[in-house]
Amino acid sequence: KVRSLGRKRTSFINEGGSIYQGRATSDDVDAFLDLQQMRARSSEGKLDAFIDDDAYCSFLRELATKEQLGVVRMDIDSHTIGTMLFHHSAGDNSSISIINQGFDPQYSHYAPGFVMQIELIQSGHRLGVRTVDLLKGDEPYKKEFSNRDLRLFKYIEPLRDMSRIEWIKY
């Protein structure tokens, strides 16, 4: 599977594609929300988009403004075809929490979701990240990226108070 994804990544790069990873801006959040809505429309009701959830959209934008949100973005020329939002907590137990991703279904042959996840996991490994949290859900790809199932007794949840956004552990 990884070899196949490597070929798709190479094909994407050869087509003039680029992959960026860094701090998310509000423009990255808007691109992500647009891509999520596009995916939802093409899924014939199988995928829900939270584009109508104003509180969640505002929360993501505020995280970006506070520089607490990272992005992996795939572009062809100046067109964004995929965006993954994540949070990176540093320290001794460094972790990455993948918040969500969106991609243009027209470019699904490049497997943007998987390519972005591999990029994030590889860069996390280089930074010494000990855990990559794919968050809740039973999507099949999560089993492909895991070496074991974990029962979660602790989780990280964003505070709803926009005036002092931070991440807390329960």
Side-chain angles (χ1 to χ4, degrees):
K1 181 105 183 170
V2 171
R3 193 172 295 149
S4 169
L5 289 172
R7 284 193 297 269
K8 289 181 182 199
R9 182 188 186 283
T10 301
S11 172
F12 168 73
I13 299 296
N14 289 342
E15 290 292 321
S18 62
I19 301 172
Y20 166 81
Q21 182 177 334
R23 293 219 187 269
T25 65
S26 56
D27 288 343
D28 291 317
V29 172
D30 289 341
F32 161 74
L33 294 169
D34 290 344
L35 290 167
Q36 274 295 82
Q37 189 175 44
M38 188 182 307
R39 275 187 71 203
R41 281 194 304 264
S42 72
S43 73
E44 299 173 357
K46 296 177 190 156
L47 178 69
D48 62 336
F50 39 79
I51 190 74
D52 295 329
D53 185 345
D54 291 334
Y56 185 71
C57 296
S58 295
F59 176 71
L60 290 176
R61 286 186 186 97
E62 188 69 22
L63 280 177
T65 302
K66 303 273 186 190
E67 297 185 347
Q68 293 187 11
L69 193 63
V71 65
V72 178
R73 188 179 64 235
M74 293 177 69
D75 299 318
I76 291 184
D77 298 323
S78 61
H79 176 66
T80 298
I81 69 160
T83 302
M84 173 184 288
L85 302 176
F86 66 93
H87 177 262
H88 176 218
S89 65
D92 292 340
N93 292 319
S94 179
S95 67
I96 292 174
S97 301
I98 298 174
I99 295 173
N100 213 323
Q101 63 184 351
F103 62 88
D104 186 336
Q106 177 180 336
Y107 295 93
S108 62
H109 57 281
Y110 291 126
F114 283 109
V115 170
M116 289 185 293
Q117 285 183 25
I118 286 177
E119 291 289 322
L120 184 59
I121 290 168
Q122 287 176 338
S123 69
H125 178 71
R126 287 189 297 274
L127 293 171
V129 168
R130 298 181 51 93
T131 305
V132 175
D133 188 349
L134 302 175
L135 300 181
K136 70 178 189 172
D138 59 357
E139 294 87 353
Y141 76 86
K142 291 183 180 183
K143 291 192 186 295
E144 294 175 20
F145 278 100
S146 176
N147 56 0
R148 62 188 168 151
D149 287 339
L150 297 174
R151 289 186 71 187
L152 297 179
F153 295 98
K154 292 184 178 182
Y155 65 97
I156 297 174
E157 179 179 306
L159 292 174
R160 295 235 179 246
D161 179 1
M162 294 297 174
S163 65
R164 46 182 278 264
I165 289 181
E166 57 187 86
W167 294 76
I168 58 173
K169 290 188 178 184
Y170 287 92

